[in-house]
Amino acid sequence: MRLGVTVDKVRSALLKLDEIDPDEVIRNDLRRTYYGKKAVVTISIVQKRLIQVNPRESK
């Protein structure tokens, strides 16, 4: 079963983040991962689109 992530949790991960992974290149696409308190969000810098969102356990 997949757990959903609300838009508010995604917004919070992007605006009030705990950390950002260094940018990485996957298949000629530059990606960045943002870690919020309740969600992990990966976006494509090159294509300017959302790649993946996952729920995150609170620390």
Side-chain angles (χ1 to χ4, degrees):
M1 183 174 100
R2 289 184 154 283
L3 298 174
V5 178
T6 65
V7 173
D8 288 334
K9 289 179 183 176
V10 173
R11 184 180 300 123
S12 178
L14 295 172
L15 299 176
K16 301 175 187 174
L17 53 110
D18 286 342
E19 61 185 281
I20 301 175
D21 270 354
D23 294 346
E24 63 180 330
V25 177
I26 299 175
R27 291 185 229 145
N28 296 324
D29 188 17
L30 184 63
R31 296 179 182 190
R32 184 175 296 156
T33 301
Y34 298 84
Y35 293 87
K37 291 191 185 325
K38 300 192 180 208
V40 179
V41 181
T42 302
I43 62 167
S44 166
I45 303 299
V46 174
Q47 297 179 11
K48 299 180 181 176
R49 66 184 183 117
L50 180 68
I51 300 293
Q52 183 171 344
V53 177
N54 292 313
R56 184 177 188 201
E57 294 287 325
S58 297
K59 292 181 180 179

